[in-house]
Amino acid sequence: MKSQLTVFLVISVLLSCSQGKDLKRSPISPVAHSSVSIHVSVPTPVPGTGNLIGRLRKSADGLELFLAEHIGRTDEDMIYGLDVNNAPKATIYNDNLFLFLNVKPGKYMVVLWSPAVSYSVKLVEVLADRTVDVGEISP
C-alpha cells in the first residue's frame, strides 16, 4: 500500500519548542504534570532517541496524535511531512496525557490527524536521551 504523504506549510506556530521543559529521567520515574498531579511511568528512552510527554487541553475524540518531521532545507523553513504509516504516534491516556516513546532526535510538528482532517498543533524538538515535557496543548 502506498504511503500517504501530507506536507504542512506552517505559517504561524502557537508556541516555540524552546518552551518545553527538559526532564532528565531515571530508568522509570513518575511524572507530575501541570497543577494536577498525575503519575505515569515514563521509561528512559532507548539510547540515541527521546521521549515527549504532554497533555491535551481537551479530548480529541476520533483524532490520533502524530509527529510530522521537519523536511525544510533550513531550520527556518517551516515545512513538515507526515506519513501516517511510519510517523511516530502517541499513546493518549484517558486523562488526555500523551506520550511519544523512542523518537529520533529532531524538530517535529505535533499533528492531530484523522482521515478527514488534520491540525498542526505545536512545534517541538526531540532531544537524544531525554524526556521533554511539551506542556498542555489545545486540539
Side-chain angles (χ1 to χ4, degrees), residues 13 15 55 60 83 88 123:
V13 177
L15 296 171
R55 176 187 295 281
D83 174 353
L123 176 66

Side-chain angles (χ1 to χ4, degrees), residues 8-118:
F8 294 94
L9 177 57
V10 180
I11 297 172
S12 65
V13 177
L14 297 176
L15 296 171
S16 168
C17 64
S18 64
Q19 292 174 339
K21 208 182 325 174
D22 182 18
L23 303 173
K24 191 81 171 158
R25 296 271 170 240
S26 59
I28 295 185
S29 58
V31 174
H33 197 283
S34 291
S35 59
V36 178
S37 183
I38 294 176
H39 296 281
V40 60
S41 293
V42 179
T44 300
V46 170
T49 69
N51 296 335
L52 291 176
I53 190 168
R55 176 187 295 281
L56 294 170
R57 209 168 263 147
K58 61 181 182 177
S59 178
D61 291 333
L63 296 172
E64 298 176 281
L65 200 58
F66 288 98
L67 291 178
E69 190 170 7
H70 180 258
I71 58 173
R73 287 187 275 175
T74 68
D75 284 347
E76 290 76 33
D77 291 340
M78 301 298 285
I79 302 171
Y80 294 83
L82 176 62
D83 174 353
V84 296
N85 295 313
N86 296 305
K89 182 179 175 184
T91 300
I92 303 174
Y93 299 92
N94 289 341
D95 57 4
N96 295 333
L97 191 71
F98 64 85
L99 181 61
F100 289 96
L101 291 174
N102 303 318
V103 179
K104 75 177 183 175
K107 291 184 178 182
Y108 295 88
M109 181 63 66
V110 177
V111 176
L112 281 162
W113 182 90
S114 78
V117 66
S118 62

